[in-house]
Amino acid sequence: LWTTKGVEKVNVENTKIQHSVSIFDICQIHNDENRFSYALAYFMKQRKYRELWQRFFAEEGVELGENYTVTREESAKIEDNDWDHENKPSGGRIDLLVKDDKNIIVIENKIKSDINTKTSDKGDTTQLDRYVNYVEWLIQNSEGEKPAPHFIILTPKYNIPEIGNMKQFYSIITYEKLHNFLLKNRSVFEDDSNFVDFYNAMFRHTRDNVNDYLYYEMQEKFFRRIKEMQ
């Protein structure tokens, strides 16, 4: 193994290859936010994993009921003549909207993209503002006890977005934090190859920078190729 310090002898036989090739590797969708969001929505909806996600959100201070719902690509457009559209714009699509009787959780998944704007946004407003406005409208129009709003940006450490005054609403959860949580609870899903593939694909987004993962990936492919040739 060539390094900046010279040549390092590595015992390939004793080197553990972290994961087998999955559909994420074959289709090269490791950086695809939509695919990751679909996977998150799928596993959050599964009855057998609801307690797992309840524990995850509980660590973020959200007591989520077991009968929560998950919506992918929720339209944040407010069609209400009584709404102040001029000062409180709406629109766009929320990556994941998780709801129960007491909570509304917006999850914006960012891997390599930045916070989005559109031509109708005024001043410094972005998609984050529009989602806050939409949730405010949902709460105003909900019956009974008003649900508590929660706003989350899920992102790698190497691409944490600058969100300005939206810090008062949004909290940042890194893929490293989610990955570490799942690692501690791997026994819950280790018999599900699809979940394991998703968990493994997430690993590259736990690194401090992209080059760090590329080095790890190169080394793993190198070791796998040597073992295949033996």
Side-chain angles (χ1 to χ4, degrees):
L1 178 64
W2 281 264
T3 70
T4 55
K5 298 179 180 179
V7 179
E8 175 187 349
K9 188 174 182 180
V10 178
N11 188 335
V12 178
E13 285 298 322
N14 295 329
T15 301
K16 182 180 179 181
I17 296 177
Q18 296 295 322
H19 67 276
S20 58
V21 175
S22 73
I23 194 67
F24 285 87
D25 302 286
I26 295 170
C27 296
Q28 293 293 296
I29 55 176
H30 303 92
N31 299 320
D32 192 313
E33 292 170 3
N34 284 328
R35 300 297 178 268
F36 269 76
S37 294
Y38 278 118
L40 277 168
Y42 175 81
F43 292 116
M44 284 183 180
K45 289 178 181 179
Q46 300 304 300
R47 179 60 58 183
K48 64 180 292 188
Y49 298 127
R50 285 181 174 256
E51 184 180 347
L52 173 71
W53 294 109
Q54 284 177 279
R55 292 203 303 270
F56 174 73
F57 284 112
E59 291 190 1
E60 302 303 315
V62 183
E63 297 299 325
L64 196 63
E66 65 176 350
N67 293 320
Y68 63 82
T69 61
V70 182
T71 305
R72 175 84 177 95
E73 294 283 355
E74 168 91 359
S75 172
K77 182 67 175 176
I78 300 174
E79 302 287 356
D80 186 342
N81 292 332
D82 294 328
W83 184 254
D84 184 4
H85 295 281
E86 180 68 23
N87 295 311
K88 292 186 176 183
S90 65
R93 293 190 174 275
I94 298 171
D95 286 338
L96 293 166
L97 189 71
V98 184
K99 294 193 297 184
D100 68 0
D101 293 338
K102 297 182 179 180
N103 301 280
I104 298 178
I105 307 172
V106 169
I107 302 177
E108 182 61 24
N109 185 22
K110 296 293 184 188
I111 293 181
K112 292 212 169 172
S113 66
D114 202 352
I115 302 301
N116 297 330
T117 61
K118 59 182 185 180
T119 55
S120 60
D121 288 330
K122 297 181 179 180
D124 295 326
T125 59
T126 67
Q127 64 182 132
L128 302 184
D129 299 83
R130 287 182 263 117
Y131 300 162
V132 169
N133 293 337
Y134 176 69
V135 170
E136 180 185 339
W137 177 78
L138 286 179
I139 293 173
Q140 285 184 7
N141 288 275
S142 63
E143 298 179 355
E145 182 181 352
K146 301 299 184 183
H150 310 276
F151 301 91
I152 294 170
I153 298 176
L154 179 63
T155 183
K157 288 195 295 185
Y158 60 75
N159 190 40
I160 295 178
E162 175 54 52
I163 60 176
N165 62 3
M166 284 290 101
K167 290 179 181 178
Q168 63 182 309
F169 298 105
Y170 287 82
S171 60
I172 301 290
I173 295 180
T174 64
Y175 269 96
E176 180 184 34
K177 186 172 187 178
L178 175 57
H179 188 270
N180 288 341
F181 170 82
L182 294 176
L183 176 62
K184 291 186 296 183
N185 295 276
R186 183 162 180 160
S187 61
V188 176
F189 63 85
E190 62 185 358
D191 62 338
D192 184 340
S193 60
N194 289 325
F195 203 142
V196 171
D197 286 345
F198 173 57
Y199 163 80
N200 287 333
M202 197 184 301
F203 177 71
R204 68 167 48 212
H205 303 305
T206 67
R207 318 305 284 183
D208 290 334
N209 57 70
V210 177
N211 287 339
D212 185 27
Y213 182 81
L214 292 176
Y215 177 84
Y216 157 82
E217 186 179 54
M218 175 275 298
Q219 181 175 270
E220 188 173 64
K221 288 180 178 179
F222 183 59
F223 292 156
R224 180 181 287 112
R225 182 61 176 153
I226 290 176
K227 287 187 175 183
E228 289 173 352
M229 295 176 65
Q230 289 178 339

